[in-house]
Amino acid sequence: NGWTPPPPSIPKNYPFAVLRSKAEWLPVYTRYRQGHPFTLVRHVIGDVDAFAKELHHITDTEPIKRLGTIEIKGNHVRHVRRWLTHLGF
């Protein structure tokens, strides 16, 4: 189902952080607009530009920055969750 246990603390060695939801899920979701999938990453704090740049490298898609949310065209939920878990979030 994609759930991974949260780390004991938020990693401090990155200029950004992704906070988990109250149910301890990584806040990475798929939304559809006009039949096209978009991946949303919520609760990004810190240097959002650095996060978007790293996200661009792992998905090969230009992220769209919105208030409190990063959007990526396509369904990249599993890939982004795996990446965030690997980083320690």
Side-chain angles (χ1 to χ4, degrees):
N1 66 3
W3 185 83
T4 56
S9 64
I10 296 174
K12 303 286 186 206
N13 50 342
Y14 300 104
F16 55 82
V18 178
L19 303 177
R20 288 184 175 240
S21 68
K22 291 179 183 178
E24 297 183 344
W25 283 84
L26 284 169
V28 183
Y29 311 99
T30 301
R31 295 289 184 258
Y32 289 87
R33 289 196 196 116
Q34 299 176 353
H36 300 284
F38 284 81
T39 302
L40 279 71
V41 183
R42 294 179 159 177
H43 306 297
V44 178
I45 59 172
D47 190 348
V48 177
D49 292 328
F51 179 79
K53 185 176 180 181
E54 291 295 321
L55 200 56
H56 176 69
H57 288 300
I58 68 157
T59 61
D60 291 329
T61 305
E62 189 66 36
I64 302 164
K65 293 178 275 184
R66 306 221 187 261
L67 185 61
T69 304
I70 304 290
E71 295 182 5
I72 314 149
K73 290 182 181 179
N75 188 347
H76 303 279
V77 171
R78 286 186 180 170
H79 190 66
V80 172
R81 281 185 181 159
R82 196 174 313 130
W83 173 65
L84 289 173
T85 301
H86 177 73
L87 292 181
F89 293 108

